[in-house]
Amino acid sequence: QVQLVESGGGLVQAGGSLRLSCAASGRIFSINAMGWYRQAPGKQRELVATITSAGITDYVDSMEGRFTISRDNAKNTVYLQMNSLKPEDTAVYYCNADRIDYSNGNTRTRAMNYWGKGTLVTVSS
């Protein structure tokens, strides 16, 4: 089986920084694009940023310049560096992989649209 496990969330004051990590575990052959999403209380989940396996990045306009997504393919890990945090950035941040190819016993298996369980980021004013 495969797991995406986020870490690095916590409580930070406005203007501060946090670095989130999302590590994929399991017998993984490859991961296609990965991304970060967030869901604030009472709101729908929204896209933050994505990164392809080749390292091409894309950001939601409102977060570009403050947030930086990166990945380490050798470690099957994606990161989100968040700077100049604002109270409105408070949310649960979720990691997503749009396609993971992995070994499930003796079978090569593909998982689509795979999610982690999230990590909470709270920004105080």
Side-chain angles (χ1 to χ4, degrees):
Q1 277 292 354
V2 172
Q3 281 189 311
L4 295 178
V5 179
E6 300 97 336
S7 61
L11 175 64
V12 64
Q13 287 189 331
S17 299
L18 282 175
R19 189 191 194 210
L20 306 183
S21 300
C22 171
S25 63
R27 296 172 63 188
I28 295 169
F29 296 118
S30 64
I31 303 176
N32 196 36
M34 300 185 78
W36 287 96
Y37 292 72
R38 70 184 187 183
Q39 187 166 16
K43 295 188 177 181
Q44 289 190 331
R45 192 173 298 188
E46 63 176 351
L47 174 66
V48 174
T50 61
I51 184 167
T52 69
S53 56
I56 298 171
T57 59
D58 193 20
Y59 298 88
V60 171
D61 287 345
S62 61
M63 299 172 208
E64 190 165 14
R66 295 192 301 126
F67 293 2
T68 303
I69 189 170
S70 61
R71 68 190 282 175
D72 184 335
N73 290 333
K75 295 181 179 180
N76 293 320
T77 300
V78 63
Y79 305 95
L80 185 68
Q81 177 68 42
M82 305 186 294
N83 299 326
S84 302
L85 283 163
K86 305 174 183 179
E88 51 264 43
D89 294 318
T90 294
V92 177
Y93 284 71
Y94 296 91
C95 174
N96 174 271
D98 76 340
R99 189 183 76 220
I100 304 176
D101 291 334
Y102 65 98
S103 174
N104 185 13
N106 294 322
T107 304
R108 187 180 180 105
T109 303
R110 174 165 290 177
M112 303 295 293
N113 197 26
Y114 212 80
W115 292 91
K117 293 185 177 180
T119 185
L120 176 62
V121 171
T122 304
V123 184
S124 63
S125 57

